Amino acid sequence: GVLQQGMAMGEALTNYTLLTVGDGLVSQIPALLISAAAGLLVSRAGSDSRMGKQFAAQLLSSSTPVFIGAVIIFSMGLIPGLPSVPFMTLGLVMGTFAWYFLRKDETEEQDALMEAEAAAAEEEGAGQPEDVDHLLTLDTIELEVGYGLIPLVDKQQDGTLLGRIRAIRRQFASEMGLIVPPIHIRDNLNLSPAQYRLMIKGVEAAGTELMVNHLLAMDPGGAAQKIDGIETIEPAFGLPAFWIPLDKEEEAKFAGYTVVDNATVIATHLTEVIRTNAHELLGRQDVQHLLDNIAKSNPKAVEELVPNLLSVGAVQKVLQNLLRERISIRDLLTIVETLADFAPMGKDPDLLTEYVRQRISRSMIAPYLGQGKELQVVTLDRQLEEILTKNIKRTEHGSYLALDPGMAQQIVQAVTGQVEKLLAVNTQPVVMTTPTLRRHFRKLIEPSLPMVFVISHAEIADEINLKASGKVSLKNE
């Protein structure tokens, strides 16, 4: 009985202790709430925002307090006697919030760091001069097109012009021995939709306006019948032509016209512009590249010439003289050996060019030969040759032709008359003079008649059959 009474008293004491502790904890809860509320009121006294917004900003301003609270609540779920599921669930939820706020803080710190670095770089760059070196780059050849011609240069729209340009560069390399620089193509909104411009070293060299969704029909001479179309001029050679709709192509071909699309028109015009300005496209670095290429198979020829006898600049001038008259420089080995032979006797590029022409005369004249190696030439009247020869002035810097402007104009007009007669019968005009007079006569007529090929007697091979097709004279004949 005594044991049972003691156990009952112990249980009662335990219950009393628990109730006493619980009552003490419960009595402290209002004090805790009052203290927290007082702290919130004091913190909000200096803020103009609402209490709910201010409370959320204070509580969620940092991830650290939320993370600590989550750990404590989760740990309370591990204490025996306390409900584990609610505490652990609440701890996990708060831990998830803490992880979200931690990532947000890191992102804000990275953004702030990047903004600070950008501001520092801008402040540093503000005190330094702007780098404008890239603005000094000048494209050697540039093609500008209006927005209506963009499909011609867009691969995604089956544009064929890029492939044609690659073919043009290969053609010049194989025929002329000239490596054409890469051609930069860009659109220009300042142009008309169907307009294009060809730029050589930043200066417009040629250009015209095409017609989109039309074809260009040219009369090669002797068309069977006229066709309906918009009259125009073919841009490359200035021939009369017509713009016709796409569905009239077969009709125009049947009538005897040559029909081409816009891509072919631009490619042909580009080819002619490059051929006309080939001498301007050959720089010293290009000449050095050509010499390095030939030195791989003939090193001694190059070593003897450059830099012992001539500089790269002097070789460049000779090659430019040849290209100016549309002469191929592909046989560079013969050109180099000829320069090495005659350079010791003089450094005049014009005179050296004449020696080179005599060495490569066979390949130079070949494009102008007809059947049976016949060459039709226009000669100069003997009296005219004597007048021109007497007016050649020689100085220490070279020789030049000094003529009265009136007489020079008469000579050009006389040559023009003979050239027009040859062109009327589809014959390429070739003028033949004496070796001494050739280069001076070429410079005289070049501004007005750049297409006329001028040769000398010394450049005619034995197997060539000459046929006189006209004579240039100051007399009225």
Side-chain angles (χ1 to χ4, degrees):
V2 176
L3 181 59
Q4 291 180 352
Q5 185 178 0
M7 291 178 62
M9 291 179 63
E11 184 177 355
L13 181 61
T14 301
N15 292 334
Y16 177 80
T17 302
L18 291 175
L19 292 173
T20 303
V21 173
D23 181 66
L25 291 174
V26 171
S27 63
Q28 292 298 319
I29 290 177
L32 178 62
L33 294 176
I34 293 172
S35 299
L40 290 175
L41 290 174
V42 172
S43 300
R44 185 186 178 279
S47 176
D48 296 332
S49 60
R50 294 182 179 181
M51 179 176 290
K53 185 176 180 181
Q54 185 69 16
F55 179 78
Q58 291 289 336
L59 182 62
L60 305 177
S61 61
S62 177
S63 61
T64 303
V66 181
F67 182 76
I68 295 174
V71 173
I72 294 175
I73 293 175
F74 187 85
S75 301
M76 289 178 66
L78 301 177
I79 299 175
L82 294 179
S84 59
V85 176
F87 279 103
M88 288 184 176
T89 302
L90 183 59
L92 292 175
V93 172
M94 294 187 65
T96 302
F97 275 108
W99 175 77
Y100 171 75
F101 289 124
L102 180 62
R103 289 190 58 188
K104 183 178 180 182
D105 292 342
E106 292 178 352
T107 303
E108 291 178 353
E109 291 179 359
Q110 292 179 358
D111 293 342
L113 181 60
M114 293 177 62
E115 290 178 1
E117 291 178 352
E122 183 178 357
E123 182 178 357
E124 181 181 356
Q128 296 180 356
E130 181 183 359
D131 183 13
V132 295
D133 291 345
H134 64 281
L135 300 177
L136 300 177
T137 304
L138 186 64
D139 293 316
T140 305
I141 308 178
E142 188 176 11
L143 173 61
E144 295 182 350
V145 297
Y147 67 84
L149 301 179
I150 291 179
L152 299 180
V153 297
D154 189 358
K155 291 182 178 180
Q156 298 180 354
Q157 302 184 48
D158 297 330
T160 60
L161 186 57
L162 294 179
R164 295 176 184 271
I165 290 177
R166 286 193 293 268
I168 289 173
R169 298 186 73 224
R170 290 194 297 267
Q171 175 186 352
F172 274 93
S174 61
E175 294 182 3
M176 299 295 294
L178 174 66
I179 299 178
V180 178
I183 301 173
H184 181 211
I185 303 176
R186 69 182 183 92
D187 60 316
N188 188 346
L189 297 179
N190 294 325
L191 299 178
S192 300
Q195 185 180 0
Y196 70 90
R197 291 195 307 180
L198 301 174
M199 314 287 287
I200 301 293
K201 297 181 179 180
V203 180
E204 182 177 355
T208 189
E209 187 169 357
L210 307 178
M211 288 193 67
V212 182
N213 298 326
H214 281 71
L215 299 174
L216 187 68
M218 295 172 291
D219 185 359
Q225 59 186 6
K226 295 293 182 180
I227 59 174
D228 294 332
I230 302 174
E231 294 186 2
T232 185
I233 299 296
E234 191 273 332
F237 303 101
L239 301 175
F242 295 92
W243 288 113
I244 61 174
L246 298 178
D247 56 359
K248 298 291 185 179
E249 179 179 4
E250 295 299 329
E251 178 183 345
K253 289 182 178 179
F254 182 78
Y257 286 84
T258 301
V259 182
V260 294
D261 57 7
N262 284 338
T264 304
V265 174
I266 297 177
T268 304
H269 199 184
L270 178 61
T271 302
E272 189 62 22
V273 170
I274 293 176
R275 196 181 301 275
T276 303
N277 299 274
H279 58 284
E280 296 185 13
L281 306 179
L282 186 68
R284 277 177 167 79
Q285 188 62 42
D286 301 319
V287 174
Q288 185 62 58
H289 177 72
L290 294 175
L291 293 176
D292 293 340
N293 185 59
I294 195 174
K296 296 177 182 178
S297 57
N298 298 275
K300 292 300 180 182
V302 178
E303 291 176 4
E304 181 183 358
L305 179 63
V306 179
N308 297 328
L309 298 177
L310 292 176
S311 63
V312 176
V315 178
Q316 176 196 11
K317 290 181 175 60
V318 173
L319 297 180
Q320 286 178 331
N321 288 340
L322 296 174
L323 291 174
R324 184 179 284 108
E325 298 191 46
R326 305 192 175 200
I327 299 173
S328 174
I329 59 173
R330 189 178 181 187
D331 188 8
L332 190 58
L333 177 59
T334 301
I335 296 174
V336 168
E337 291 179 345
T338 304
L339 293 177
D341 292 339
F342 292 95
M345 295 183 291
K347 310 295 184 182
D348 184 4
D350 293 334
L351 186 58
L352 291 175
T353 303
E354 297 303 309
Y355 292 131
V356 171
R357 288 173 57 95
Q358 295 176 16
R359 287 283 182 90
I360 62 173
S361 60
R362 293 180 184 273
S363 60
M364 180 181 67
I365 298 178
Y368 301 91
L369 296 179
Q371 295 182 353
K373 293 186 177 182
E374 182 182 83
L375 179 64
Q376 298 188 26
V377 297
V378 175
T379 60
L380 299 184
D381 181 69
R382 178 171 298 181
Q383 182 179 1
L384 177 59
E385 284 187 347
E386 293 178 355
I387 294 175
L388 294 176
T389 303
K390 291 180 180 179
N391 284 275
I392 296 177
K393 306 298 181 182
R394 293 175 174 81
T395 65
E396 58 182 4
H397 300 291
S399 58
Y400 63 94
L401 183 62
L403 275 182
D404 178 78
M407 178 176 293
Q409 183 64 27
Q410 292 180 15
I411 295 175
V412 172
Q413 290 178 354
V415 176
T416 302
Q418 297 296 328
V419 168
E420 290 177 349
K421 294 179 181 179
L422 293 177
L423 293 177
V425 294
N426 295 325
T427 301
Q428 181 70 22
V430 178
V431 178
M432 186 173 64
T433 68
T434 61
T436 305
L437 187 60
R438 195 213 70 83
R439 55 188 171 120
H440 301 291
F441 188 80
R442 165 65 185 177
K443 290 181 180 180
L444 174 64
I445 66 172
E446 182 178 9
S448 303
L449 302 169
M451 300 294 295
V452 176
F453 188 58
V454 182
I455 62 174
S456 68
H457 302 111
E459 298 167 357
I460 304 299
D462 295 336
E463 66 272 13
I464 294 178
N465 299 319
L466 292 178
K467 179 181 179 181
S469 300
K471 179 179 292 187
V472 178
S473 173
L474 295 180
K475 300 177 183 179
N476 295 327
E477 297 179 353

